[in-house]
Amino acid sequence: MTLPLMEHMMRSIYCESNNCLPNKMLAETSEFYITLDVMLEKKYGAIANNFIDVIGENILLMLLDLFSYRQGPRLRDRVSHFEIEIKDFPKELANYTIVLCLCIIQHLMPEVVNKNQEIIQIGRLTEVINKYEPIFHPTSLWKRQVLCILNKMNEWSGLPRPPEFKQFSLWSKNENFKLVESLLEVVMIKRYLSADAILQELIEDAKELKYPTIFRPPKEIEIVYLFSRINNAIEEIHNNINANVHLRYNLWNSRQMRSRQRENYGRMLEYVYLLQIFLICILNLQIKIVRGLLELNEKQIIFFIK
C-alpha cells in the first residue's frame, strides 16, 4: 500500500503547489491524468513546476532515482506493468520507498514526525535528506564505472612478470618513450609520475568530482552515455589482458614456451604498460570533459559537440 499512498500524496502536493483544478487529481476519460513523469518535470506547462521547490532538491533526487532514471528501479512503471510481483519485491527497495515517504513527511509536515519521535528517528531522516547523492543518474553511474576501472587498472602493476623481463617505466629510452610522453602531454598529466602515481591521482580526482544532476541538458547526458560505452570496452580489455597475462605466465612458468613465444611474451608485457598509459589518458580526458561540461549551458554544450 505504500506506493499508491505515496503517489497520491505526491499528486496532492503537485496539484496544490501548481494551483491545479481538483479534477486533475482524478482519472477521467476527458482529462489527462497527472503521472509521476509529469510531476517530476522541470516545467508545468509553460511555467516553472512549483512542486520542485516545495519538496526540495534532495528529495527530488531520491524520487528521480526511484521512479525515473533509465537504469534505476523505475518502481512505478514496473509495478504498474506487472514486471515485479509482490512476493519478489526486494526488501531493500521496499525499505527505500518507506524511508522516502518518511523523508517527504519530515520535510513537509515536521509536526507529524515530532509527535512520533519514539518511532521515527528524525535525526537520521534529516541526515538522509541532506547527504543524499543520486545513485542511478547516468553521470553517477559513469563516475562509479570510472572509479571501478581505475581501481582495477591499479592492479596491473601486480600482474605476474618473469624476472627476466624488466619492468617498463615512463623513463625507458626506447622507441615507445616518445609515444608515452606525447600522450601524457595531450591530456596534461605530469610526465614525471609513475603509472601507479598517475592512477592514484586520477582516483582522487574522480572521487572529488561534484556535479549537478537535476535537469541537465540532454546533449550532456548523450556524452556521458558515450563515455559509459567506451568504458564498457575498457572493462572488457582489462578482463582480456588479465586473463591473457596469467595464461602466458603459467606457460612460461611450466617451461612450455619456445624462444619466439618468450620474445612475444616480453613484448606483450611492455605493450600492456603502454596500453595502461593509453587507457589512463582516455579516462583522464573523460574526467576533464565532464568537469568542463558542468560549466557550460545547453547552447554551449551543443556548440562544443559540433
Side-chain angles (χ1 to χ4, degrees), residues 102-276:
L102 293 174
C103 285
I104 295 173
I105 295 171
Q106 156 72 3
H107 179 67
L108 297 177
M109 296 176 287
E111 67 281 357
V112 174
V113 178
N114 291 333
K115 292 179 182 178
N116 297 275
Q117 291 188 38
E118 296 179 359
I119 303 173
I120 304 172
Q121 299 182 20
I122 300 175
R124 294 292 300 276
L125 283 180
T126 305
E127 185 179 359
V128 168
I129 296 172
N130 293 337
K131 294 186 177 181
Y132 189 82
E133 293 186 1
I135 300 170
F136 298 107
H137 186 275
T139 310
S140 303
L141 295 171
W142 165 82
K143 178 180 175 179
R144 289 204 299 276
Q145 188 183 39
V146 167
L147 284 170
C148 179
I149 292 172
L150 289 172
N151 283 312
K152 284 181 178 179
M153 290 179 62
N154 210 15
E155 300 170 1
W156 282 21
S157 59
L159 288 174
R161 172 186 292 270
E164 66 184 70
F165 300 123
K166 64 179 181 179
Q167 188 78 24
F168 183 68
S169 73
L170 293 178
W171 296 100
S172 299
K173 297 295 183 179
N174 60 20
E175 68 275 9
N176 297 314
F177 176 73
K178 289 185 178 179
L179 173 62
V180 173
E181 189 176 39
S182 59
L183 280 173
L184 296 178
E185 286 177 356
V186 166
V187 293
M188 294 176 287
I189 293 178
K190 297 173 184 176
R191 181 168 57 84
Y192 58 82
L193 295 176
S194 66
D196 290 343
I198 292 172
L199 278 169
Q200 288 302 322
E201 195 173 87
L202 280 185
I203 288 171
E204 293 304 317
D205 200 20
K207 285 180 179 178
E208 293 172 3
L209 182 62
K210 302 294 183 183
Y211 46 84
T213 58
I214 297 177
F215 307 130
R216 299 301 300 169
K219 290 295 182 183
E220 178 183 301
I221 303 302
E222 287 180 22
I223 293 173
V224 173
Y225 277 133
L226 174 62
F227 287 164
S228 295
R229 290 197 295 272
I230 292 171
N231 293 341
N232 289 337
I234 292 176
E235 286 186 292
E236 189 172 346
I237 289 170
H238 164 79
N239 294 334
N240 291 338
I241 289 291
N242 196 47
N244 209 342
V245 168
H246 280 88
L247 175 63
R248 298 289 183 92
Y249 180 77
N250 290 335
L251 290 173
W252 176 89
N253 209 27
S254 59
R255 301 183 182 277
Q256 297 181 41
M257 280 187 170
R258 297 177 180 177
S259 59
R260 177 62 63 85
Q261 289 175 318
R262 287 197 297 272
E263 290 176 10
N264 291 338
Y265 179 33
R267 280 195 291 269
M268 186 194 77
L269 290 175
E270 181 173 313
Y271 282 107
V272 163
Y273 185 87
L274 288 172
L275 179 62
Q276 184 187 39

Side-chain angles (χ1 to χ4, degrees), residues 35-49:
T35 62
L36 280 171
D37 290 339
V38 173
M39 293 182 220
L40 300 177
E41 286 179 353
K42 185 177 182 179
K43 297 282 188 179
Y44 169 65
I47 61 175
N49 181 5

Side-chain angles (χ1 to χ4, degrees), residues 58-89:
N58 285 13
I59 290 179
L60 177 62
L61 291 174
M62 299 173 74
L63 290 169
L64 291 169
D65 259 348
L66 186 62
F67 295 119
S68 292
Y69 293 139
R70 188 168 71 185
Q71 291 173 284
R74 292 189 297 109
L75 184 60
R76 176 65 171 79
D77 293 345
R78 287 178 173 159
V79 169
S80 61
H81 293 98
F82 300 100
E83 294 179 24
I84 298 179
E85 295 189 23
I86 298 299
K87 62 182 180 65
D88 299 325
F89 203 85

